[in-house]
Each structure stands twice: as C-alpha cells, then as structure tokens.
Amino acid sequence: MPLFRRAVSPPQTAAPAVATDPSLQVILEAFPQPAGVLEMGCRFVASNAMLDDLLHGRTVGRSVLQATRSDELNDAAARALGGWAERRELTLPAEGKTVQAVASPLPHGRALLVLRDLTASKRAETVRRDFIANASHELRTPVAAIAGAAETLLGMQASEEAKPFLEMIARQVARLGRLTSDLLDLSRLESGQWPIELGTYEIAPTCAGALELVRERAKVKNIVLGMDVAPDLCVRADLRAVEQILVNLLDNAIKYTPEGGRVTLLTDGAGTHVIVSVLDTGPGIEPRHQQRIFERFYRADGGRARADGGSGLGLAIVKHLAQAQGAEVGVESGRGGSRFWVRLPAT
Ligand code: ADP
C-alpha cells in the first residue's frame, strides 16, 4: 500500500494548520490501527487509510457522529478534546462492528482517536464458548451412563481381578463428570447465562451452610473445621453464588491440607465491605503461582493436583462468580498455609 494513499483535504471548519502538515499524515499511516486526528466539533482533520476502510468512506472533514453514527464514540471524542483520555469498548451501529476506542488529548485543542476492530476476536470467542458449552452438555449423558454402569458392576460382587479396574472406571468417570459440569458452569458464567440475583443478606447462615456441605469430606481426612463468623454482617450479593464460591474454596482447602490439619472460615467487617476468608494449614502456594491460579486449568502443582482429581476450573469459577456480583477474590499464601478471601460489598 502506498504511504500516501490519498491527500489530506482541509476540514470544513477551522483552518487546520496541523492537518496540512504531511508529517502528521505519515505518522497516522504508520499506525498499525485505524486512527485519526480530531479538532473542535469532533471533526476529523486527518486520518489514515485503515480508518476510512473501517468506516467505509472518507473521514476527513466529517464529524465522528457523521462518520460513525455512534453517540458513545462521539462522547469519548468530545471528552478527549476537553482534555480527558478515554478508553471504551463499543459497537459502531452502521458497521455492526465491535471496537475498542482510545481517544487521547493532543496539544492545540486536538485529540487522537485510535480504533481497534475486535469483531473477529469477539466472534471467535463466542464460537469457542458455544463449542465448550455444547460439548460439555453432550458429554453429560454418556458420562452419567458410564458412572451408573460402573456403580452397578461394583455392587454385583465383581471378581477380585475386575474390581480394581471397575474402581478406576468409577473414579475417573466421576472426575470426568466434575470436569464437564465445571466447564458448563464456566461457559454459562462467561456468556452471562448464569443469572446473578443481588439482594441484601446476612452472611453468617451462608457460611454455616457452606461448612456443612464440606463437613463429611473434612472428616474423612481428619481435618478440623473452624468458623469465626460475626452474626450481624450483611452483604449485597447473590447468595447462591457466594455459597458456590465458599464451597469451592473450602473444597480446595480440604483437598490440599494434609491429614489432621485445620481449615477455618472467617468474616471481617471492613467498612464498606465484608471480607470472608478461608484459611488452611496446607503446603501454601509459591508467589510465582499466586497470580495465575485463578486462570482456567492452571495448577500450581500439576502432578499432585491432577492426582487429587480436581478439574482445574474451581478457582476460575470462583473468580467469575465474584466478578459477576461486583466482588473481588484473592489469595495470600506462605509456608504455613493459604488464605483465600472474597471481598463483598457491605450494606
Ligand atoms: P483444582 O481442581 O486443580 O484444585 P482449582 O482451580 O480449584 O483447580 O485450583 C487451581 C490450583 O491452585 C490447584 O491446582 C492448586 O495447585 C492451587 N490451589 C488451590 N487452592 C489451594 C490451597 N488451598 N492450597 C494449596 N494450593 C491450592
């Protein structure tokens, strides 16, 4: 593509000293993204060929509103011309494209507008999400059938030779079941199909309920469960989601804490927020892993975690559930154990 695909014509309003400057055009054409320079009235005084291609027409001399019909982009441009840098993700109504717009103030009352076309990556993301949701949905029926058959065979006094194999099938199919159901939950969360219903609730009964759900698992490993929860702390949250978060965190705490250890659930009123923490006396997590364990399938200790039968999705689900209701999650961990926390808005 030639560097100067077209000459910069003067805008129809105020005389643009910079617009006729060829170096401005050279700079814009060198941009790897669609970009333009705006002046008062959100009018383009210069733009590169990629911007014209994206907006299907010549942009110089036209306003942002004329070129894009997007009130939101016009608003971002106006704010940048007023001296405020803006970064927004929005849809261009005429083109039906999703773009990330970055509008930055320039000297002499001008602004630089750079767009990044996100349409293809959004579409690919939707295809990926739909595929995972469909595949995990389809897998549920055969997985349930195999689990049922393995249970039945185990109950039929199988031969000593067959028993270990049947037990292995039952164990692995249970793991596959957890994986498919976690994948389904995660894709529902990512696509906004997990309806979040916010309300004002006392947190204590939910904490007690979550502890009850994991009590049996703790008992098997001889782990002492403790709870220090203030009775009157209220949060604005989706209780079903909070319970799921706490069960996932408690499950992990029990899974990674050696026999005879201790797992404790604590609450802390912190002004505008309530912090619920799950403490364990497990092996802790090295600092280099702590930021990444909330990613899908990331395991701090791959071998052991896989052997323990986890799906590798528990903390990714925790993070999504927290974000969906305006909460935050995090971890602090050292040699003596870990503290996973969730910070919920208080009421
Ligand atoms: P998994 O199914 O593997 O447990 P998660 O997403 O729940 O998947 O956790 C991700 C990783 O974080 C785990 O594989 C493990 O390495 C680490 N982890 C999570 N909770 C703890 C904990 N309480 N103590 C030590 N490591 C933990």
Side-chain angles (χ1 to χ4, degrees), residues 54 90-92 95-100 116-126:
L54 178 72
L90 45 90
T91 303
L92 299 176
E95 289 76 19
K97 292 197 164 184
T98 308
V99 294
Q100 185 188 59
R116 192 154 74 93
D117 189 355
L118 302 176
T119 315
S121 64
K122 289 268 170 197
R123 197 172 301 130
E125 179 64 14
T126 307

Side-chain angles (χ1 to χ4, degrees), residues 132-146 176-177 180 183:
I132 292 174
N134 292 337
S136 38
H137 187 76
E138 291 300 321
L139 280 168
R140 277 189 342 169
T141 310
V143 164
I146 298 169
L176 199 53
T180 48
L183 273 174

